[in-house]
Amino acid sequence: MLRGIIRGNIVSTRKQEALIGSKFMEVELMKNGELTGDYLIAVDSVGAGIGETVLITTGSSARLALYNANAPCDAVIVGIVD
Amino acid sequence: MLRGIIRGNIVSTRKQEALIGSKFMEVELMKNGELTGDYLIAVDSVGAGIGETVLITTGSSARLALYNANAPCDAVIVGIVD
Amino acid sequence: MLRGIIRGNIVSTRKQEALIGSKFMEVELMKNGELTGDYLIAVDSVGAGIGETVLITTGSSARLALYNANAPCDAVIVGIVD
Amino acid sequence: MLRGIIRGNIVSTRKQEALIGSKFMEVELMKNGELTGDYLIAVDSVGAGIGETVLITTGSSARLALYNANAPCDAVIVGIVD
Amino acid sequence: MLRGIIRGNIVSTRKQEALIGSKFMEVELMKNGELTGDYLIAVDSVGAGIGETVLITTGSSARLALYNANAPCDAVIVGIVD
């Protein structure tokens, strides 16, 4: 998994039907607790907000965290770091 | 997911049968809203055009966005950013 | 697989239900026996501790090492290097 | 997907049974139409030859392009760019 | 797939049960026939030894090369280059 801080959200009105209702967050990745300047976009599954440090699962495993496991999604926020 | 701007399309007459009808777009990737100079090729699933900012899903999850979920495709445009 | 040294653990109280009980370890990756300064977060499946050198499996294969193969997890510690 | 130019072929007599008959091509990757100096090895599925510009699908989706969908292969040439 | 030269083997006594009997090899990757200084660890499936040039399949496709397709493994040596 990856760790990062949520920096913003992305709005997409015209999208795949299976993604309707998904909250897209842009996350700045960290390594060893320091920011890297790299970013990815993940769907939130735990009610995380901007500024929170989160855990992200990528790849096909990510879909297992979603209500709709057939959504075409490759990165999901699966936890908020204490 | 990744975000980027569609820069062009790629034409391939001789291709896998399951990809016939697919629209291949070359997308310049962004991070935190800035262009990176990195590119990938994704199949469009939402009617996106050159110059539009889009969301891309990669890996096996990408296929879930296609009409033919058995197409040998690893990147799909799943949304247009507002 | 990747090799690395466990540097710390990550605590996440609010997380996906399928990840409850998972021990998240931050691992510094190695190549050819030397540290790289790159990090990832993996769930432990073999009782490894901080300072130990471990093998990590990533992607969908990682889940096969977990008790709950449907956990949204993309990296698991699968062995401790002698 | 990725785009690249086929630079050569790789011969492997001793290999996994499910890969017998596969044509392994070494491909130099491009981005935005320019060569990158990065390479990967892909199995051909469309009759492509050295010097041709091709589209490559990677990951588990790649196998869907092969006659034997259980072949342990992670990159397949799925189209020839016009 | 990737090409590389086997540089050594990794011994792990305490590991996932499904990996018992697996031979873990550390492989230095090549591109276009030249060494890169990058490494990964792959399970051997073709009887390859140190110093041999090999083909490696990664991701979920890798498991298809193993006797136990449920082993939590993400990289397998699938051929020896002539």
Side-chain angles (χ1 to χ4, degrees), chain B residues 8-16 24-26 41, chain D residues 1-6 27-28 30 32-33 44 46-49 51-56 77-82:
Chain B
N9 67 314
I10 308 271
V11 180
S12 167
T13 305
R14 202 163 137 204
K15 59 176 173 284
Q16 278 275 325
F24 299 106
M25 302 305 234
E26 189 153 32
I41 295 163
Chain D
M1 276 80 61
L2 301 169
R3 181 165 43 154
I5 295 180
I6 299 178
V27 181
E28 183 175 1
M30 306 169 84
N32 200 25
D44 179 39
V46 291
E52 285 191 290
T53 301
V54 293
L55 285 177
I56 298 164
I77 295 168
V78 297
I80 300 173
V81 176
D82 290 7

Side-chain angles (χ1 to χ4, degrees), chain C residues 2-80:
Chain C
L2 302 168
R3 182 166 43 155
I5 294 180
I6 299 178
R7 293 302 189 199
N9 66 314
I10 308 270
V11 180
S12 166
T13 304
R14 201 161 138 205
K15 59 177 173 283
Q16 278 275 323
E17 202 177 309
L19 291 171
I20 290 172
S22 296
K23 201 167 53 158
F24 299 106
M25 302 304 234
E26 189 153 31
V27 181
E28 183 174 1
L29 300 177
M30 305 170 85
K31 58 179 187 185
N32 200 26
E34 290 182 28
L35 292 163
T36 61
D38 277 329
Y39 288 80
L40 64 70
I41 294 164
V43 170
D44 179 39
S45 79
V46 291
I50 291 175
E52 285 190 291
T53 301
V54 293
L55 285 177
I56 298 164
T57 294
T58 61
S60 62
S61 303
R63 298 200 314 266
L64 298 171
L66 298 179
Y67 182 75
N68 177 356
N70 288 321
C73 167
D74 60 13
V76 173
I77 296 169
V78 297
I80 299 173

Side-chain angles (χ1 to χ4, degrees), chain E residues 9-69:
Chain E
N9 67 314
I10 308 271
V11 180
S12 166
T13 304
R14 201 161 138 206
K15 59 177 174 282
Q16 278 275 322
E17 203 177 307
L19 291 171
I20 290 172
S22 296
K23 202 166 54 158
F24 299 106
M25 303 304 234
E26 189 154 31
V27 181
E28 183 174 2
L29 301 177
M30 306 171 84
K31 58 179 186 185
N32 201 25
E34 291 182 29
L35 292 163
T36 61
D38 276 329
Y39 288 79
L40 64 70
I41 294 164
V43 169
D44 179 40
S45 79
V46 292
I50 292 176
E52 284 190 292
T53 300
V54 294
L55 285 176
I56 298 164
T57 293
T58 61
S60 62
S61 302
R63 298 199 315 265
L64 298 171
L66 298 180
Y67 182 74
N68 177 356

Side-chain angles (χ1 to χ4, degrees), chain A residues 1-40:
Chain A
M1 276 78 62
L2 302 168
R3 182 165 45 155
I5 294 181
I6 299 178
R7 293 303 189 198
N9 67 314
I10 308 271
V11 180
S12 167
T13 305
R14 202 162 137 205
K15 59 176 173 283
Q16 278 276 323
E17 202 177 309
L19 291 171
I20 291 172
S22 297
K23 201 167 54 159
F24 299 107
M25 302 305 234
E26 189 153 31
V27 181
E28 183 174 0
L29 301 178
M30 305 169 86
K31 57 178 186 184
N32 200 24
E34 290 181 29
L35 292 163
T36 61
D38 276 330
Y39 289 79
L40 63 71

Side-chain angles (χ1 to χ4, degrees), chain B residues 25-78:
Chain B
M25 302 305 234
E26 189 153 32
V27 181
E28 183 174 2
L29 301 177
M30 305 170 84
K31 58 178 185 184
N32 200 26
E34 291 183 28
L35 292 163
T36 61
D38 277 329
Y39 288 78
L40 64 71
I41 295 163
V43 169
D44 179 40
S45 80
V46 291
I50 292 176
E52 285 190 290
T53 301
V54 293
L55 286 177
I56 298 164
T57 294
T58 61
S60 62
S61 302
R63 299 199 314 265
L64 297 171
L66 298 180
Y67 182 76
N68 177 357
N70 289 320
C73 168
D74 59 14
V76 173
I77 295 168
V78 297

